[in-house]
């Protein structure tokens, strides 16, 4: 059945597109929800700031202390939640399209575990500066993704997922051994990073990260048409003129880079990449995965997790990774139950 849509023609019809109404409305509502959660999150904390005062601060009105609380203490963390949630949502949609399986997300196939291994090796043998954390996470995640790719012989199917799960389990065991044998200071530093936290994000660090993430998301959006064609199967995509192998490699690099940047900046944040694409697809009622919808849903999930992490046990704070893992575990059980029910 053909869904209601609007035909867009821009620049004297040189650029044309078909905009489906329901996904567009759902995506707009998700984006608005994420911004509203972020706005509420800005007002909560040890220093009381009612919503009208937050609005005044955003407009440049109010005292300097309030501006410092909003822009220096809370804004970098909440902006990171919006940005990293969108990045994880897009990355999850890319990997699930590659594997054609809702379980094929980067945190399930061992990329997060590889990044953690890289950070542990860096802390134990080189140092613990932020750039060293990032470099270690980058090397670890690339090595894990490359190993999964070489052993499984491709990026599609259940073989790729099971190989990734196996590599992830092996790396988790290695990480546990590293933590049990490391010096106390190094083990504590690694454990803090491994919990996944947005609290240490600074504006100076976030700006170049935001530029890189936005560039990768734009690149991923450019691949959306090819991603949709490949969800129909490799043979169908080839028949439609899609260079399947080149697109798969570009998707793998783009999705892996998005996950790596988030993991290197904030530590492993699990299950957002797994849940966001499927939840967005169910809400929009579309047959395939949509990268813009996945990005919006990822932003909603991570800003909600940050709101809970920062305020549920105030004045104490939870790492946001603990909240996403807790909620993600329940989601995974629900997803497996739905798949089992659908097979009956």
């Amino acid at each position: 059945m053909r869904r209601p849509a609007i035909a867009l023609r821009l620049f004297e019809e040189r650029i044309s597109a078909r905009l489906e109404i329901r996904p567009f409305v759902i995506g707009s509502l998700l984006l608005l929800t994420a911004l509203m959660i972020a706005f509420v999150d800005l007002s909560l904390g040890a220093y009381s700031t009612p919503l009208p005062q937050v609005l005044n601060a955003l407009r440049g009105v109010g005292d300097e202390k309030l501006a410092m609380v909003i822009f220096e203490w809370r804004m970098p963390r909440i902006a990171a939640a919006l940005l990293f949630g969108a990045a994880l949502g897009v990355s999850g949609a890319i990997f699930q399209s590659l594997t054609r399986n809702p379980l094929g997300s980067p945190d399930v196939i061992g990329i997060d575990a590889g990044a953690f291994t890289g950070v542990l090796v860096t802390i134990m043998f080189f140092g613990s500066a932020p750039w060293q954390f990032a470099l270690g996470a980058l090397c670890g995640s690339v090595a894990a993704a490359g190993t999964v790719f070489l052993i499984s012989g491709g990026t599609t199917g259940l073989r790729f997922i099971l190989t990734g799960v196996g590599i992830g389990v092996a790396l988790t065991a290695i990480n546990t051994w590293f933590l049990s044998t490391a010096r106390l200071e190094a083990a504590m530093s690694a454990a803090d990073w491994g919990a996944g936290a947005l609290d240490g994000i600074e504006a100076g660090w976030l700006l170049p990260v935001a530029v890189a993430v936005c560039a990768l998301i734009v690149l991923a959006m450019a691949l959306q048409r090819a991603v949709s064609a490949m969800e129909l199967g490799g043979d169908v995509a080839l028949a439609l003129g899609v260079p399947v192998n080149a697109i798969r490699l570009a998707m793998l690099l783009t999705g892996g880079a998005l996950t790596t940047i988030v993991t290197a900046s904030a530590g492993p944040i699990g299950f957002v990449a797994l849940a966001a694409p499927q939840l967005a697809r169910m809400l929009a009622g579309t047959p395939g995965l949509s990268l813009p919808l996945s990005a919006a849903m990822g932003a909603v999930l991570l800003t909600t997790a940050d709101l809970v992490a920062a305020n549920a046990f105030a004045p104490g704070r939870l790492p946001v990774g603990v909240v996403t893992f807790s909620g993600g575990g329940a989601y995974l059980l629900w997803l497996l139950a739905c798949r089992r029910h659908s097979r009956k």
Side-chain angles (χ1 to χ4, degrees), residues 159-301:
R159 180 184 174 88
F160 182 76
I161 297 174
L162 293 178
T163 303
V165 171
I167 295 293
V169 170
L171 289 173
T172 301
I174 294 173
N175 295 343
T176 304
W177 180 74
F178 274 148
L179 284 172
S180 65
T181 57
R183 291 178 291 104
L184 178 61
E185 296 82 3
M188 291 178 64
S189 179
D192 287 343
W193 181 88
L198 300 174
D199 292 336
I201 299 291
E202 297 179 356
W205 172 265
L206 185 61
L207 184 59
V209 170
V211 172
V213 167
C214 290
L216 287 168
I217 289 179
V218 170
L219 176 60
M221 298 299 177
L223 298 173
Q224 173 71 67
R225 181 170 293 184
V227 170
S228 301
M230 290 176 63
E231 286 184 355
L232 301 174
D235 293 337
V236 176
L238 276 174
L240 294 173
V242 176
V244 172
N245 291 331
I247 292 296
R248 279 179 179 155
L249 180 60
M251 291 166 64
L252 180 65
L253 294 176
T254 305
L258 284 170
T259 298
T260 299
I261 289 174
V262 174
T263 307
S265 302
I269 299 176
F271 288 104
V272 174
L274 176 72
Q278 296 301 321
L279 292 176
R281 182 182 64 82
M282 284 186 283
L283 273 180
T286 55
L289 298 176
S290 165
L291 299 184
L293 287 177
S294 301
M297 178 58 79
V300 170
L301 292 180

Side-chain angles (χ1 to χ4, degrees), residues 36-113:
M36 289 178 64
I37 295 170
F39 184 59
V40 172
D41 202 4
L42 278 174
S43 72
L44 301 177
Y47 184 81
S48 177
T49 47
L51 291 176
Q53 291 187 16
V54 174
L55 190 58
N56 286 336
L58 294 176
R59 294 166 50 205
V61 179
D63 58 39
E64 293 182 356
K65 185 177 181 180
L66 177 63
M68 182 181 69
V69 170
I70 297 296
F71 290 104
E72 297 185 21
W73 293 3
R74 298 175 184 169
M75 185 70 82
R77 189 193 81 237
I78 296 169
L82 286 167
L83 184 70
F84 293 170
L88 291 173
V90 171
S91 178
I94 287 175
F95 276 92
Q96 289 175 15
S97 293
L98 274 174
T99 60
R100 301 180 65 188
N101 192 308
L103 295 178
S105 84
D107 44 350
V108 173
I109 61 176
I111 293 181
D112 281 2

